Amino acid sequence: MYLHHDRHLQTYVDQLNKLLKDFPVYQDFSLEALLTNVTFFPKAIQTPIRNNAGGVYNHIFYFSHLGNPSTGHPIDLLADMIQQQFGNFATFQKQFFDAALSVFGSGYAWLVIDHAQVLHIITTQNQDTPIPLHVCPILNLDVWEHAYYLKHYNIRADYIKDWFSVINWDVANKTLLDCFAKIPRLPR
Ligand code: MN3
């Protein structure tokens, strides 16, 4: 985890800062704003900006939703919505597990909410973010091999199972509440 946070995330931060060095106007942009407006940049650096800003966004999201090990379950509104839309927590877990396992190569599994307040489990490739999909992310799981190789070797399934016991459901519920404030502004 330390290596993942201090080296992998830091590399994306350093690369993004290097790319933005000659564009002081954009240095105060949020990651969301950068990712939404990549076409403002010269063509040659649009893909590197997308990849590195995505790498920073996805990792910060991932690390900020982790906590101390617990047998925790979702709480409050998020618990109610999961119950309502997936039937029960175990069904949600199974669907999220299958989605995370299904990512071919590198990417992420996400729980997101759309403009109609419907929860979805989706996957993204590499450092793509859900931002262009016009959904609000609630939870994500990094399934790049670097996220689990040192501890779980090549067994992604074990890593996914372990991740469920370190989800910070309190933060995830707060993220959901923040999403409700953003939903009216999500493009359809
Ligand atoms: Mn990673």
Side-chain angles (χ1 to χ4, degrees):
M1 273 301 165
Y2 286 112
L3 197 71
H4 192 184
H5 182 276
D6 295 356
R7 303 277 184 88
H8 287 275
L9 168 54
Q10 191 61 49
T11 301
Y12 288 111
V13 171
D14 294 345
Q15 293 291 341
L16 182 60
N17 283 334
K18 215 157 94 185
L19 286 162
L20 293 180
K21 201 168 64 79
D22 298 328
F23 302 92
V25 176
Y26 300 116
Q27 289 170 8
D28 291 332
F29 271 42
S30 67
L31 291 163
E32 284 94 335
L34 275 180
L35 286 160
T36 310
N37 298 294
V38 170
T39 50
F40 290 177
F41 292 92
K43 265 222 149 47
I45 62 165
Q46 288 181 9
T47 298
I49 296 239
R50 193 178 290 114
N51 288 339
N52 286 286
V56 178
Y57 178 89
N58 291 339
H59 279 102
I60 288 177
F61 202 92
Y62 168 71
F63 287 116
S64 66
H65 288 76
L66 296 179
N68 291 322
S70 74
T71 53
H73 281 62
I75 58 162
D76 295 340
L77 182 63
L78 184 53
D80 293 345
M81 288 188 72
I82 286 175
Q83 173 90 24
Q84 215 169 55
Q85 295 185 23
F86 294 91
N88 55 54
F89 181 55
T91 304
F92 163 78
Q93 262 185 314
K94 169 85 174 88
Q95 286 183 27
F96 198 100
F97 179 91
D98 290 346
L101 205 57
S102 79
V103 176
F104 183 74
S106 298
Y108 291 77
W110 300 80
L111 176 65
V112 301
I113 188 164
D114 69 13
H115 63 84
Q117 304 183 3
V118 177
L119 297 175
H120 301 275
I121 294 167
I122 63 164
T123 62
T124 52
Q125 286 292 318
N126 301 314
Q127 295 299 358
D128 291 350
T129 72
I131 293 169
L133 306 173
H134 306 312
V135 291
C136 191
I138 295 162
L139 207 54
N140 74 344
L141 174 58
D142 183 343
V143 294
W144 283 56
E145 218 166 49
H146 69 232
Y148 57 90
Y149 200 72
L150 283 181
K151 183 171 179 186
H152 300 90
Y153 305 106
N154 58 331
I155 314 296
R156 187 189 290 177
D158 289 351
Y159 161 69
I160 302 169
K161 279 182 208 143
D162 278 0
W163 172 74
F164 272 106
S165 63
V166 291
I167 297 171
N168 189 329
W169 289 108
D170 193 40
V171 173
N173 189 61
K174 286 192 182 95
T175 303
L176 173 66
L177 295 176
D178 290 344
C179 281
F180 270 94
K182 289 178 195 161
I183 281 171
R185 301 195 305 274
L186 287 179
R188 297 181 181 210

